[in-house]
Amino acid sequence: MEKTIRFSVSISPDLLKKFDKEIKARAYTNRSRAVRDLIVNFIVEREWERSETEVMGSLTLLYDHETRGLLKKLIEIQHERHENIASTMHLHIDEHMCMEILALKGMPKEIRELADRLISCRGVKHGKLVMSTTGKEIT
Ligand code: NI
């Protein structure tokens, strides 16, 4: 295992209290692990934006499938950009709402642009791109 180092951070007691409350709610057993995960997320996102090699991402979309023209539009965009879509999963939440999860691969700029196009379709209630990595850089 790689050696770890200790470092100190200065923040207000109020902010630390809120942080501790949140990490407890997320089932973290210690602050170090929570801070480590925040740092990794930050590095992955920055490297992702700068990367000139292929990266991974996942896009979650929440939408009402009855919105006129929406399904056609979403399918058209996905077929047009099939090379960037590794897999999709569709869940019927209730009579109206659908959740779609897309595993994306490609250059960061392509993935960002594809995600933005899908998220901005009329009728998409919520959409979020999670930037990930092929994992080689993270220890
Ligand atoms: Ni559905």
Side-chain angles (χ1 to χ4, degrees):
M1 198 183 143
E2 209 178 351
K3 191 171 152 265
T4 57
I5 59 160
R6 294 176 70 90
F7 68 99
S8 60
V9 178
S10 305
I11 57 170
S12 72
D14 186 47
L15 191 58
L16 184 60
K17 202 172 143 193
K18 284 178 182 160
F19 185 65
D20 282 344
K21 194 177 154 219
E22 291 306 323
I23 65 176
K24 202 176 164 197
R26 296 269 296 271
Y28 278 109
T29 50
N30 66 70
R31 270 184 206 145
S32 288
R33 181 71 202 181
V35 170
R36 181 259 177 214
D37 284 359
L38 288 174
I39 292 172
V40 168
N41 275 335
F42 180 77
I43 291 169
V44 167
E45 288 190 9
R46 298 284 74 76
E47 285 185 348
W48 204 92
E49 297 286 356
R50 286 196 304 260
S51 178
E52 287 175 23
T53 57
E54 196 169 73
V55 291
M56 305 298 296
S58 64
L59 174 66
T60 301
L61 298 171
L62 192 77
Y63 59 84
D64 183 341
H65 77 268
E66 285 165 335
T67 304
R68 185 186 291 273
L70 178 60
L71 279 179
K72 189 170 177 286
K73 183 88 188 152
L74 292 176
I75 289 168
E76 270 174 15
I77 295 170
Q78 291 184 46
H79 275 275
E80 190 189 309
R81 300 293 299 277
H82 65 93
E83 285 175 349
N84 295 120
I85 302 172
S87 178
T88 65
M89 180 165 70
H90 186 109
L91 294 87
H92 309 300
I93 299 172
D94 58 26
E95 289 84 352
H96 310 283
M97 296 305 297
C98 300
M99 175 179 270
E100 205 157 298
I101 302 165
L102 295 89
L104 305 175
K105 63 179 166 63
M107 303 305 283
K109 200 164 165 265
E110 294 174 325
I111 294 183
R112 166 71 76 193
E113 191 253 349
L114 173 57
D116 288 344
R117 271 178 77 189
L118 292 166
I119 293 168
S120 64
C121 286
R122 197 179 67 83
V124 173
K125 311 252 185 218
H126 178 248
K128 190 170 173 64
L129 173 65
V130 174
M131 300 163 207
S132 193
T133 165
T134 52
K136 296 176 196 88
E137 312 85 351
I138 306 300
T139 55

